[in-house]
Amino acid sequence: MEAFLNHKGLVAPLDRANVDTDQIIPKQFLKRIERTGFGEFAFFDWRYLEPGVPDPDFILNSDRYKSASILVAGTNFGSGSSREHAPWALLDYGFKILIAPSFADIFRTNCFQNGMLTITLDKDKVDYLMGMASSPKYSGYQLEVDLESQILKDGNEFSEKFDIDPFRKESLLKGQDEIGRTLTSENKIDSFESSRIDRW
Amino acid sequence: MKKTLFEKIWEPHVVDQIDEDLALIYIDLHLVHEVTSPQAFEGLRINSRTVRKPNLTAATIDHNVPTSDRFNIKDPIAKKQIETLRANCKEFGVPLYDIDDINQGIVHVIGPELGLTQPGMTIVCGDSHTSTHGAFGALAFGIGTSEVEHVLATQTLVQKKPKTMAINVNGDLPRGVTPKDLILSIIKEIGVDGGTGHAIEFRGDAFKKMSMEGRMTVCNMTIEGGGRAGMIAPDEKTFEFVQGKKFSPKGSNLDKLMDFWTDLYSDENAEFDTIFDIDCSNLEPHISWGTNPGQVAGINSYVPDPESYSTPEEKSNAQNALDYMGLEAGQKISDIRLDRVFIGSCTNGRLEDLRSAANIIEGKKVDKNVRAMVVPGSGLVKMMAEKEGLDKIFTESGFEWRDAGCSMCLGMNPDILVPQERCASTSNRNFEGRQGKEGRTHLVSPEMAAAAAIEGHFVDVRNWK
């Protein structure tokens, strides 16, 4: 996993609550056995009127957001299926940071596993960012994340500290392989196993 | 120190306390299927790692498998994914219940059938409906593919300790009202994200009186309320169910485990972080009208007016849902006409579900405008149902009788809705496009789905003949 360095990027708004992982990546694309190449299928049913024909009304199809790397969304983003194809699709599409009032548990963990940062903010703060990213006045609206100090800011009025588990923060900053880290305490797993009654 | 059921399972599974919130926990059972595992096995190969405990791992093929002509998989990408699982299981020594095995089926149906699912266990699978196994008093939850790889390699998982929630259900379920109706009404009550970050324990007499199948239906849909896990304290019914199966513990091993199992309940006055009290004595059959499992209404009510919601967000959610579902505010729920009926899934694809549905439709004919199908949850369910003659009852009514798999619950196999088709489904998700692009899903119990197939629209199964 790549280390998460400070990030500055264009913000795209997706003003909808309960965006489930079936919307982020529909089931017909889960049959592939690779981890890569899911970006072209992200939000497929919303994004295309039919395959190859983008829906001009879908916000992410607007030219303004073509190079966005930060997505601001409604509550309970990533609900439903545990498919890690959802963060794979978002990452491959270009999103590195997701901001919402809340995220579904499995989805959020899956994002961390792929070096993506999910930032949970109060709804009024998210609404503010949604407004800025949507407003024709602020075309090109960007946000900047400093993970070390846990600050999200726009360089003007908006500056907000966000929470993150210390373990997840360290893993992101180092780009650490979680399995590799666990295997460094393999002796603890060994002794745990030998201490248990045999269930099998 | 008073402990909750959750704490009694969590604590003895902590291998290493990483920090205040996070722990490395041991996993007792890891279920694997073809869709969320190929990248995990590939990760093991890239890093020259092995599966630490193949005997605590079990795999099956369920999501992609066709439910007719199943040995002839026409979709080349699905076929490759299935063949990849076979090759991975062989390479890493993981037991596989393949398409030709009587124990093949939906991963959450076969775990309990094989006796793999037991009280007090930690159980994971790369599938959000892993919460099903909580019906046995296990801590069971869905994980992503990176975590699947982590469990394969280490038999452990880094987890944030969830908060605890008690959902106390008071009263008895009225006649004709099912566990499905109960869980739909609970999700409506707590909201689709009400359980986020929580391990939920379902408590109350209604669950004590409920069959193991019913408990599985309830725990299965915990994730639809955002819950990390759903669980019900094991009792005599549980202990009886888990015995006499292929992997059931036996002899002195069983005696030792029984000491542990009989202590698996929340101590009196144990503290929960969040508590909901729900009365079920006046509950009626429920139907989802919207595009998330919290958008449900009783059979004798009406499609709600988006304006009746309090926040702008809820109003727009409801309006989006009505637009997608092709429904009008104020429309009577029982007037909703159907094109398709699907009975099956890890929510309602077990023998008891098929018996209940068969009981409703016996001697009646499916409405001429409806195409109805039954997909048993496993090969074993199918075999037992056929032994009882349920298949005949279904086919004589005009239902299609299929082979086991996930099927139209998520439409990864050829069983899908065409745009605008409207389906009464015993599955768990009514998300946009879930059963097929622009398909319209209404979640219901097997009994309600069966009666709707006969009438061509929803009816109150309690006073329907």
Side-chain angles (χ1 to χ4, degrees):
Chain A
M1 193 169 93
E2 254 177 71
F4 187 101
L5 304 170
N6 290 351
H7 183 88
K8 186 176 180 180
L10 186 71
V11 185
L14 187 60
D15 192 7
R16 217 175 147 131
N18 306 317
V19 173
D20 57 73
T21 54
D22 273 78
Q23 304 318 316
I24 298 171
I25 181 89
K27 73 287 188 113
Q28 62 267 36
F29 306 111
L30 308 185
K31 298 172 190 174
R32 299 169 71 248
I33 58 171
E34 297 84 19
R35 260 176 198 263
T36 50
F38 288 97
E40 59 179 301
F41 312 121
F43 300 113
F44 192 83
D45 287 351
W46 288 347
R47 207 164 133 199
Y48 299 103
L49 292 167
E50 54 188 274
V53 184
D55 182 346
D57 292 338
F58 181 54
I59 187 133
L60 297 183
N61 284 338
S62 151
D63 281 342
R64 174 177 171 178
Y65 304 115
K66 278 281 180 276
S67 60
S69 61
I70 300 176
L71 184 68
V72 180
T75 50
N76 197 29
F77 189 81
S79 53
S81 158
S82 64
R83 58 189 70 169
E84 197 164 314
H85 312 67
W88 294 339
L90 293 171
L91 189 61
D92 193 45
Y93 184 93
F95 292 118
K96 184 91 174 147
I97 295 169
L98 310 174
I99 302 169
S102 63
F103 293 91
D105 290 328
I106 308 175
F107 175 79
R108 199 177 46 173
T109 303
N110 286 342
C111 286
F112 276 117
Q113 299 284 352
N114 288 281
M116 295 164 74
L117 178 62
T118 58
I119 298 179
T120 306
L121 295 178
D122 290 343
K123 189 163 184 313
D124 59 330
K125 303 277 186 329
V126 174
D127 286 346
Y128 175 83
L129 297 178
M130 195 80 80
M132 296 299 281
S134 309
S135 165
K137 273 202 302 196
Y138 300 100
S139 183
Y141 184 70
Q142 296 200 344
L143 282 165
E144 191 174 353
V145 172
D146 180 343
L147 179 56
E148 186 61 55
S149 58
Q150 298 173 220
I151 298 285
L152 175 71
K153 60 183 180 188
D154 68 0
N156 287 309
E157 285 169 22
F158 186 90
S159 179
E160 201 59 32
K161 192 160 169 101
F162 59 88
D163 285 333
I164 181 170
D165 291 329
F167 174 85
R168 299 290 188 204
K169 178 177 170 179
E170 193 194 319
S171 298
L172 282 174
L173 286 171
K174 290 184 177 162
Q176 201 167 39
D177 164 26
E178 196 166 291
I179 299 175
R181 188 200 169 279
T182 297
L183 288 173
T184 60
S185 45
E186 200 172 7
N187 60 333
K188 289 183 181 159
I189 305 174
D190 292 338
S191 56
F192 181 89
E193 282 175 345
S194 56
S195 72
R196 315 182 77 210
I197 54 168
D198 184 12
R199 294 169 166 279
W200 302 85
Chain B
M1 180 67 188
K2 312 276 187 201
K3 287 182 183 172
T4 61
L5 167 61
F6 162 77
E7 286 156 342
K8 287 181 180 179
I9 302 175
W10 175 271
E11 288 171 7
H13 284 91
V14 173
V15 174
D16 188 20
Q17 193 68 42
I18 297 169
D19 61 27
E20 203 181 324
D21 292 327
L22 285 171
L24 187 69
I25 61 163
Y26 199 78
I27 300 303
D28 296 322
L29 176 63
H30 184 194
L31 300 166
V32 172
H33 64 80
E34 76 275 23
V35 178
T36 55
S37 67
Q39 298 86 352
F41 284 111
E42 184 61 16
L44 294 182
R45 260 191 299 273
I46 290 169
N47 294 289
S48 306
R49 289 169 178 151
T50 57
V51 175
R52 184 179 175 93
K53 288 280 178 188
N55 64 330
L56 303 187
T57 313
T60 194
I61 296 163
D62 54 5
H63 283 64
N64 271 330
V65 63
T67 55
S68 61
D69 197 14
R70 64 207 314 242
F71 294 102
N72 178 17
I73 299 167
K74 294 183 186 78
D75 177 345
I77 312 175
K79 192 172 175 194
K80 187 173 179 195
Q81 193 169 55
I82 288 170
E83 284 167 355
T84 301
L85 181 65
R86 284 187 187 127
N88 284 330
C89 286
K90 198 169 170 203
E91 181 182 343
F92 291 95
V94 172
L96 170 68
Y97 298 93
D98 206 336
I99 301 180
D100 57 359
D101 193 307
I102 186 70
N103 288 119
Q104 175 269 342
I106 306 174
V107 68
H108 310 307
V109 176
I110 71 165
E113 277 177 358
L114 286 162
L116 289 166
T117 302
Q118 294 168 20
M121 278 184 163
T122 48
I123 301 175
V124 297
C125 174
D127 190 289
S128 60
H129 292 110
T130 309
S131 56
T132 312
H133 307 265
F136 292 82
L139 175 61
F141 52 90
I143 56 178
T145 298
S146 294
E147 291 184 309
V148 167
E149 186 180 336
H150 193 284
V151 178
L152 289 172
T154 69
Q155 205 56 36
T156 64
L157 206 48
V158 177
Q159 282 292 297
K160 184 173 179 170
K161 188 176 179 180
K163 293 184 197 156
T164 54
M165 179 186 288
I167 295 185
N168 299 312
V169 175
N170 302 310
D172 290 333
L173 280 180
R175 189 189 58 83
V177 179
T178 69
K180 182 66 161 283
D181 302 307
L182 175 59
I183 187 62
L184 287 173
S185 71
I186 287 173
I187 297 164
K188 181 185 182 187
E189 177 75 22
I190 71 171
V192 288
D193 58 354
T196 304
H198 289 80
I200 299 174
E201 183 183 339
F202 296 100
R203 295 152 58 86
D205 279 348
F207 300 108
K208 291 197 183 106
K209 291 176 185 165
M210 202 177 278
S211 66
M212 289 312 297
E213 287 85 348
R215 295 180 195 182
M216 283 189 255
T217 300
V218 170
C219 289
N220 171 275
M221 288 192 70
T222 311
I223 182 68
E224 311 312 333
R228 193 77 189 91
M231 55 213 311
I232 293 171
D235 59 11
E236 286 306 320
K237 274 184 203 168
T238 321
F239 306 143
E240 194 187 316
F241 189 105
V242 298
Q243 291 184 53
K245 307 219 158 32
K246 188 171 179 185
F247 293 101
S248 302
K250 293 171 184 75
S252 62
N253 202 8
L254 175 64
D255 296 339
K256 272 191 277 182
L257 278 170
M258 200 62 98
D259 286 342
F260 171 48
W261 292 352
T262 49
D263 188 46
L264 291 173
Y265 55 85
S266 289
D267 295 329
E268 209 172 321
N269 302 322
E271 281 184 27
F272 290 86
D273 295 302
T274 313
I275 296 174
F276 277 95
D277 289 300
I278 289 169
D279 187 274
C280 74
S281 41
N282 292 313
L283 197 66
E284 55 177 0
H286 270 57
I287 291 136
S288 72
W289 53 264
T291 53
N292 74 52
Q295 291 175 323
V296 298
I299 176 65
N300 295 305
S301 62
Y302 300 84
V303 174
D305 185 343
E307 286 307 312
S308 66
Y309 289 90
S310 49
T311 70
E313 187 174 274
E314 286 171 317
K315 284 182 215 262
S316 92
N317 287 349
Q319 190 58 55
N320 285 341
L322 292 192
D323 293 345
Y324 180 85
M325 293 296 289
L327 296 172
E328 300 283 337
Q331 196 175 346
K332 221 168 173 271
I333 295 281
S334 56
D335 285 344
I336 297 174
R337 300 204 68 88
L338 299 155
D339 308 300
R340 303 284 296 266
V341 169
F342 170 67
I343 296 176
S345 85
C346 58
T347 311
N348 281 123
R350 285 170 287 267
L351 186 59
E352 181 182 274
D353 301 310
L354 306 194
R355 281 180 186 151
S356 304
N359 189 37
I360 296 284
I361 55 126
E362 186 162 15
K364 301 185 175 75
K365 293 286 181 207
V366 169
D367 182 83
K368 62 179 185 340
N369 296 316
V370 173
R371 181 180 167 198
M373 85 203 273
V374 184
V375 180
S378 70
L380 203 60
V381 168
K382 181 168 191 256
M383 188 190 79
M384 292 191 296
E386 287 173 355
K387 228 179 212 172
E388 293 180 15
L390 301 184
D391 57 323
K392 295 277 178 322
I393 296 175
F394 283 116
T395 51
E396 280 165 17
S397 281
F399 276 82
E400 295 169 33
W401 177 253
R402 298 295 193 93
D403 288 317
C406 299
S407 178
M408 215 161 77
C409 174
L410 85 166
M412 274 193 76
N413 75 347
D415 307 336
I416 55 170
L417 300 179
V418 301
Q420 276 82 53
E421 258 189 330
R422 191 180 292 286
C423 180
S425 179
T426 66
S427 56
N428 40 57
R429 289 195 173 127
N430 50 342
F431 296 158
E432 288 184 20
R434 172 82 176 175
Q435 296 190 298
K437 187 173 160 69
E438 293 173 48
R440 295 161 173 169
T441 304
H442 295 278
L443 303 175
V444 282
S445 71
E447 289 88 332
M448 287 291 286
I454 304 299
E455 290 290 347
H457 60 88
F458 288 116
V459 290
D460 188 342
V461 73
R462 292 172 302 176
N463 44 37
W464 177 78
K465 285 190 183 134

